[in-house]
Amino acid sequence: MSGARMYVFAVIEHASRRIRILGATAHPTARWVTQAAKNLVMDLEDAGCRARLLIRDRDGKFPALFDAVLNDAGIEAVLSGARMPRMNSITQRWVQTCRRELLDRTLI
């Protein structure tokens, strides 16, 4: 274990609370995020799921191409408000649970 910071791209279906982890990297780039969006669209098609909206934050790593990939699949990207964690509370709760359950029990 190197102690390096990792970024995880995860999507949660609000109705079922199912979590789809699309990837993890130490250096997220716009290209990596766009590829994760393409993988999400393919996963949803394979599973026969229909998504209409995707709530995301305003991070600069989400390029216009990310939204274009989703729009082509019929998914509208909705930006969360600035400093409004309650707007995406299910994901925020999952992140806090991961931190508490995984990182609090890690010896460094």
Side-chain angles (χ1 to χ4, degrees):
M1 178 170 246
S2 67
R5 179 180 297 215
M6 296 296 290
Y7 296 85
V8 177
F9 194 112
V11 176
I12 298 177
E13 296 176 34
H14 278 240
S16 65
R17 307 283 169 107
R18 181 176 180 190
I19 300 167
R20 294 177 188 271
I21 297 176
L22 301 173
T25 183
H27 305 288
T29 61
R31 195 168 136 209
W32 180 80
V33 171
T34 302
Q35 184 61 48
K38 292 176 185 178
N39 294 346
L40 172 63
V41 169
M42 287 189 298
D43 286 350
L44 292 174
E45 288 175 358
D46 290 345
C49 293
R50 172 76 175 104
R52 294 181 303 143
L53 300 170
L54 181 124
I55 301 171
R56 69 169 182 85
D57 63 7
R58 298 171 178 271
D59 195 327
K61 290 178 186 63
F62 293 108
L65 186 56
F66 179 85
D67 293 337
V69 168
L70 295 175
N71 284 335
D72 288 345
I75 302 171
E76 180 186 352
V78 177
L79 298 178
S80 64
R83 298 181 186 228
M84 295 181 69
R86 289 185 183 169
M87 191 170 178
N88 199 3
S89 60
I90 295 171
T91 304
Q92 293 293 332
R93 179 172 285 181
W94 180 74
V95 169
Q96 290 299 325
T97 300
C98 287
R99 287 180 178 166
R100 191 172 42 255
E101 296 295 323
L102 300 173
L103 300 178
D104 286 354
R105 291 173 172 74
T106 302
L107 296 175
I108 298 176

